[in-house]
Amino acid sequence: MAETARKKIRIGDLLIQNQLITEQQLTDALASQKQTGKKLGRAIIDLGLVQEDQILELLAQQLDVPFIQLENFDYKVDITQRLPEAYARRFRALVLLENENKELVVGMADPTDIFGFDELSRILKQPLQLAVVRESELLQALDILYRRTSEISSLAEELGEELGEEADDLDLLEATGAEDAPVVKLLRSIFEDAVQVRASDIHIEPDEKVLRIRQRVDGVLQEHVMNEKRIAAAVVLRLKLMSGLNISEKRLPQDGRFNIQVKGRSIDIRISTLPAQHGESVVMRLLDQSEGNIDLNGTGMPDTILQHFRHQIIRPHGLILVTGPTGSGKTTTLYGALQELNDSEKKIITVEDPVEYTLPRITQVQVHDNIGLDFGAVLRSALRQDPDVLLIGEIRDQETAEIAVRASLTGHLVLSTLHTNDAITSAMRLIDVGLEGYLVASALRAVVAQRLVRRICHSCKTEYQPDQQEQIWLRALQRNGEAEATFYHGQGCSHCNNTGYRGRIGVFELLEIDTDMADALRAADPLAFGHAARQQPSFKPLTQCALEYAVQGITSLEEVFRVSEQLAEESLEHLPEEAV
């Protein structure tokens, strides 16, 4: 098998022989390869001359080796990690399994790389069997499988040894700031691991005897515990230096931000420190600035809701609210709306705390409460800047709410957020903060409420039977003829770090204010408003949207319950009496 794998293959000639490309197309691809430095096969694929699978299947046939799809492959981590990560990434290779002949089956994105195959044979010191894999799937698998847990532990131990018993010496801690210092290597490894697993937050929490590093992946924290508790001060100090915070202040909370480059990606990091019993707790929010423009199509909003929401944001004036708890994707939805509104004919101003993403042609203002530049002060000045569209990061108090409502009544489109459970309670919240009902009724146009639920991992997705409590919930769907649906959950595998989930999707509800709802707002009658909202033909509650995702096999019923107990209570309230 090794001799077969080592056979020299000219990919261009092979494609011509099989009439997949012409001589002229090969010439064009060679010219592109020379200009970009890519391998010929990748240049041909990027030019759209041949599909990647066509090339891989042809190579597998020519070499008489299998073409393995990694999306659903069940990895054995102890087998895959026999090949060090540096070599796996360098040669675009992954050890998949050990067969009955004691051969290691190695998947390669470029099976024509003879030098790479020879180097893998030398490194692994075991007979190899070649397999062909997609490059995109291989790179994704590398990020999943080569977690940096052991590397982080090793660097933490090295830093602890360097600090010794003098961990509280400020001069010694400052000396750890050199680029080759263990604390710098440790933080670099922590950030790289977080980016690889798509973590949204990193928590650094000193305890009495240990240091906990937790990463929030798909909304759920994953914990890594280290015994080197004394390194916490050095880690916090380095982070403060990176974000320009006061390193001598340990008694008060501080907020800052900095930018780092990780694997060629620009990551903006917001940092918050909090004095705790055993040292300063640090939480960092990771914002990937390299993902490109955020658009509404990427939010996962259902087509019917998306169509109605787009109709609302193109109106010349009025107030539109996006509501949900922290981490529910509100900012993504608002920035997606701004992207669609952003053209040369509109003046758009945002007032945020903090500014999360930088958008061209939009005037973005950062709130600084400590110098008196709060939402109210910025908004009053912003209205003198002749805006067409105004985005307010959050309506927190009566003053901000009044300015937002009055701006929407004087010819401005105002977008903002509220921290409420659903769309129906959001409208009444404006009255609760002190606004007159008639002002809210005149200004408010629509409310979007949203949550994020985790997607079932495709690699370990399997059917399951809902339990008794879930069956009670499912009776709410009988009115739509969906009671006989098949439901799924994830069993846990190497692709999803044994969680059963990979990625998230938004759950949305859209409430468009009509005459009956406006009348209820004027009367400040929450019961009448809720009744009128539920009678609206286009209104679909969050619970219904989430359960439909479960019916479609996108998420599990367990995940719907986990994300929000409030959703469960709301659903049970509206079940028919005979179903409860």
Side-chain angles (χ1 to χ4, degrees):
M1 176 59 66
E3 290 302 317
T4 302
R6 289 166 58 87
K7 183 166 55 180
K8 181 68 175 177
I9 292 179
R10 296 173 61 89
I11 185 66
D13 295 340
L14 187 60
L15 292 173
I16 290 176
Q17 290 171 14
N18 287 270
Q19 299 181 345
L20 292 176
I21 63 173
T22 65
E23 292 278 1
Q24 181 57 49
Q25 288 174 327
L26 176 58
T27 302
D28 294 341
L30 288 168
S32 175
Q33 179 196 23
K34 185 176 181 181
Q35 183 177 6
T36 62
K38 298 177 181 177
K39 293 189 175 183
L40 179 59
R42 176 52 54 186
I44 290 172
I45 294 168
D46 290 347
L47 289 172
L49 303 177
V50 180
Q51 296 296 319
E52 182 179 20
D53 283 6
Q54 290 179 286
I55 293 181
L56 296 180
E57 288 170 358
L58 184 60
L59 287 172
Q61 180 182 355
Q62 188 73 15
L63 294 168
D64 192 25
V65 298
F67 171 33
I68 298 178
Q69 299 189 38
L70 300 182
E71 183 179 5
N72 298 310
F73 190 83
D74 187 15
Y75 301 102
K76 300 293 185 290
V77 177
D78 59 327
I79 297 292
T80 60
Q81 294 195 347
R82 291 188 188 181
L83 180 64
E85 181 183 6
Y87 293 107
R89 293 189 182 277
R90 178 181 175 187
F91 299 119
R92 295 289 196 266
L94 187 64
V95 180
L96 302 176
L97 54 90
E98 185 175 25
N99 63 22
E100 61 277 5
N101 299 322
K102 298 300 180 181
E103 295 175 323
L104 293 179
V105 179
V106 178
M108 294 186 70
D110 181 10
T112 66
D113 185 357
I114 295 176
F115 173 77
F117 189 85
D118 287 344
E119 282 293 292
L120 293 173
S121 300
R122 180 185 63 80
I123 295 163
L124 293 166
K125 296 180 175 61
Q126 197 169 335
L128 304 184
Q129 181 182 10
L130 183 64
V132 182
V133 298
R134 294 189 186 94
E135 184 176 23
S136 58
E137 291 182 349
L138 182 138
L139 293 175
Q140 187 179 64
L142 292 179
D143 285 345
I144 295 171
L145 294 168
Y146 285 97
R147 292 295 303 272
R148 299 177 181 270
T149 305
S150 59
E151 178 183 314
I152 291 171
S153 297
S154 175
L155 289 169
E157 185 176 346
E158 181 184 347
L159 176 59
E161 291 175 355
E162 179 179 292
L163 293 173
E165 300 301 324
E166 306 297 329
D168 292 326
D169 189 301
L170 187 60
D171 293 333
L172 181 59
L173 289 176
E174 289 187 5
T176 64
E179 289 305 313
D180 59 346
V183 67
V184 178
K185 294 179 182 177
L186 173 61
L187 285 171
R188 185 184 302 123
S189 186
I190 290 172
F191 287 131
E192 288 180 354
D193 185 58
V195 170
Q196 283 184 193
V197 298
R198 302 168 295 106
S200 61
D201 301 85
I202 301 173
H203 296 235
I204 298 177
E205 303 166 339
D207 210 333
E208 183 177 3
K209 296 181 180 179
V210 299
L211 175 65
R212 302 180 192 278
I213 296 180
R214 301 200 282 175
Q215 298 173 337
R216 190 175 296 279
V217 180
D218 293 335
V220 178
L221 287 170
Q222 299 177 2
E223 185 174 78
H224 180 204
V225 179
M226 295 182 293
N227 293 324
E228 292 75 14
K229 189 262 179 182
R230 63 181 181 275
I231 72 172
V235 172
V236 173
L237 175 78
R238 180 61 183 173
L239 289 170
K240 284 185 173 181
L241 289 171
M242 294 170 69
S243 51
L245 299 180
N246 184 352
I247 62 174
S248 62
E249 179 56 77
K250 299 180 181 180
R251 301 167 302 169
L252 297 174
Q254 296 187 68
D255 296 311
R257 67 191 306 164
F258 58 93
N259 185 274
I260 59 172
Q261 298 292 320
V262 179
K263 295 181 177 294
R265 298 158 69 177
S266 176
I267 308 296
D268 198 32
I269 297 185
R270 288 163 39 193
I271 179 173
S272 172
T273 69
L274 183 68
Q277 184 178 6
H278 301 293
E280 290 181 275
S281 172
V282 176
V283 176
M284 293 176 284
R285 170 66 55 88
L286 278 61
L287 302 169
D288 191 345
Q289 302 289 344
S290 305
E291 291 185 343
N293 292 336
I294 300 172
D295 60 63
L296 287 177
N297 293 322
T299 62
M301 194 177 289
D303 290 340
T304 52
I305 294 180
L306 183 57
Q307 181 180 353
H308 284 269
F309 184 61
R310 280 185 165 135
H311 172 72
Q312 292 293 339
I313 64 175
I314 62 173
R315 300 177 71 170
H317 56 83
L319 174 63
I320 298 175
L321 296 176
V322 178
T323 181
T326 301
S328 59
K330 301 186 298 295
T331 299
T332 302
T333 300
L334 286 174
Y335 275 72
L338 289 186
Q339 285 286 9
E340 298 209 359
L341 295 170
N342 189 10
D343 59 44
S344 59
E345 297 180 353
K346 292 187 180 70
K347 172 76 170 183
I348 301 177
I349 299 178
T350 74
V351 184
E352 306 171 71
D353 184 21
V355 175
E356 295 195 13
Y357 296 95
T358 301
L359 300 176
R361 201 191 288 118
I362 294 179
T363 303
Q364 297 175 265
V365 183
Q366 166 78 53
V367 170
H368 292 285
D369 288 329
N370 56 334
I371 61 172
L373 193 65
D374 56 18
F375 275 100
V378 177
L379 285 171
R380 284 190 292 272
S381 297
L383 289 174
R384 293 193 289 270
Q385 292 278 310
D386 187 31
D388 297 292
V389 180
L390 194 61
L391 184 147
I392 303 172
E394 181 186 350
I395 293 179
R396 299 178 177 177
D397 50 40
Q398 182 177 354
E399 181 186 21
T400 306
E402 286 180 348
I403 296 174
V405 166
R406 294 191 183 281
S408 67
L409 292 174
T410 54
H412 305 87
L413 177 65
V414 180
L415 307 175
S416 190
T417 70
L418 277 176
H419 285 282
T420 50
N421 289 328
D422 55 31
I424 293 176
T425 57
S426 298
M428 299 307 301
R429 176 65 61 86
L430 293 175
I431 296 176
D432 292 341
V433 300
L435 296 185
E436 295 291 342
Y438 73 90
L439 287 176
V440 178
S442 301
L444 190 60
R445 295 288 179 263
V447 183
V448 174
Q450 62 184 82
R451 296 287 194 285
L452 291 175
V453 296
R454 293 183 291 175
R455 292 177 181 267
I456 299 172
C457 174
H458 286 294
S459 301
C460 58
K461 183 177 180 179
T462 184
E463 294 183 19
Y464 86 109
Q465 182 64 35
D467 61 28
Q468 184 177 3
Q469 180 63 34
E470 291 169 339
Q471 288 284 0
I472 294 176
W473 270 56
L474 289 175
R475 293 177 192 176
L477 293 178
Q478 289 181 355
R479 290 165 292 178
N480 297 330
E482 296 167 322
E484 303 302 320
T486 301
F487 295 93
Y488 298 86
H489 68 172
Q491 292 182 312
C493 65
S494 56
H495 289 267
C496 58
N497 198 29
N498 293 314
T499 63
Y501 300 96
R502 182 161 175 80
R504 291 191 288 179
I505 186 172
V507 175
F508 298 87
E509 70 180 17
L510 173 64
L511 184 63
E512 298 176 285
I513 307 302
D514 59 19
T515 303
D516 291 340
M517 283 183 272
D519 290 341
L521 286 173
R522 291 187 184 92
D525 187 341
L527 293 178
F529 182 83
H531 177 74
R534 294 185 183 95
Q535 298 304 310
Q536 190 178 73
S538 62
F539 177 69
K540 182 184 295 183
L542 278 167
T543 305
Q544 186 76 16
C545 183
L547 287 174
E548 285 184 5
Y549 282 152
V551 168
Q552 296 166 21
I554 296 172
T555 191
S556 66
L557 290 173
E558 178 185 11
E559 172 65 2
V560 175
F561 302 145
R562 187 203 65 78
V563 168
S564 175
E565 183 179 351
Q566 187 276 331
L567 288 181
E569 293 172 353
E570 177 194 350
S571 179
L572 289 173
E573 285 174 4
H574 300 120
L575 285 176
E577 290 184 4
E578 63 272 14
V580 178

